[in-house]
């Protein structure tokens, strides 16, 4: 059993093909690279793990979606670049919130174009504009990597969230 799998099993988490039930939220994703490079690795607080999605190459897009039991206001988030292959780093993405839960329409909370990670395991924090919008569900929609012609996937080491009270 890998370290990430042991971490997830130790927390009592379950997983299906494109959904993983973590301790504090449900994680949905476009793809991953099991057994080691899974979407839940974004939340294991380990620099030695990562999320890698090969479906990005074919689809030109990937997503991560988090659904919480109660509505929250997202104040900022941090992305940490993975251990290798800079061409796979996210370059452009949109963060959407769903104020109405499952049936609600998406609201664009943040948009990034032309981001660049200078180093491996580099942390970049993105502060959202002040908003009173509370959402139970948030989606990161990645639509560009640093060097698409060289990348066969998209990857990230961590996604850390900070909520406003």
């Amino acid at each position: 059993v890998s370290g990430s799998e042991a971490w997830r099993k130790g927390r009592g988490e379950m997983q299906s093909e494109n959904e993983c039930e973590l301790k504090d939220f449900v994680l949905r994703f476009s793809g991953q690279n099991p057994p080691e490079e899974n979407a839940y690795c974004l939340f294991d607080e380990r620099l030695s793990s990562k999320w890698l999605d090969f479906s990005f190459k074919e689809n030109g897009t990937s997503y991560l979606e988090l659904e919480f039991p109660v509505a929250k206001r997202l104040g900022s988030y941090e992305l940490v670049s993975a251990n290798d292959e800079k061409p796979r780093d996210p370059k452009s993405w949109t963060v959407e919130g769903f104020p109405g839960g499952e049936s609600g329409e998406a609201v664009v909370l943040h948009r990034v174009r032309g981001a660049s990670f200078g180093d491996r395991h580099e942390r970049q924090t993105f502060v959202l504009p002040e908003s009173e919008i509370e959402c139970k569900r948030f989606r990161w929609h990645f639509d560009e990597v640093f060097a698409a012609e060289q990348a066969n996937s998209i990857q990230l080491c961590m996604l850390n969230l900070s909520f406003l009270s």
Side-chain angles (χ1 to χ4, degrees), residues 16-159:
S16 64
E17 187 172 330
N18 290 92
E19 184 174 295
C20 183
E21 196 173 316
L22 299 173
K23 181 180 177 185
D24 300 322
F25 57 90
V26 173
L27 173 63
R28 296 181 187 94
F29 44 89
S30 52
Q32 59 184 1
N33 185 35
E36 294 293 328
E37 299 166 328
N38 299 297
Y40 62 77
C41 291
L42 290 164
F43 306 97
D44 67 8
E45 300 178 7
R46 295 172 46 230
L47 289 175
S48 60
S49 66
K50 69 180 176 185
W51 165 64
L52 186 136
D53 182 4
F54 284 114
S55 74
F56 185 88
K57 180 71 171 180
E58 181 180 331
N59 301 325
T61 185
S62 284
Y63 74 89
L64 296 165
E65 184 176 293
L66 289 69
E67 185 169 354
F68 295 87
V70 297
K72 299 174 177 279
R73 281 186 1 190
L74 183 63
S76 65
Y77 62 95
E78 177 185 67
L79 298 180
V80 180
S81 61
N83 62 330
D84 63 4
E85 301 296 327
K86 181 178 176 69
R88 298 176 182 167
D89 290 348
K91 182 177 179 181
S92 298
W93 62 88
T94 303
V95 180
E96 299 170 323
F98 295 82
E102 286 287 330
S103 60
E105 292 291 318
V107 174
V108 174
L109 301 175
H110 194 235
R111 182 171 280 131
V112 175
R113 298 290 177 250
S116 179
F117 292 89
D119 293 311
R120 304 301 77 214
H121 296 133
E122 180 180 324
R123 297 171 182 271
Q124 290 190 13
T125 301
F126 301 89
V127 178
L128 278 63
E130 277 289 323
S131 171
E132 295 300 317
I133 298 174
E134 290 189 345
C135 304
K136 286 178 69 173
R137 193 163 51 114
F138 299 91
R139 180 185 298 146
W140 277 256
H141 178 87
F142 300 97
D143 53 12
E144 189 178 8
V145 291
F146 184 75
E149 65 284 350
Q150 298 171 6
N152 63 354
S153 57
I154 189 169
Q155 66 179 12
L156 274 172
C157 180
M158 287 184 208
L159 170 58

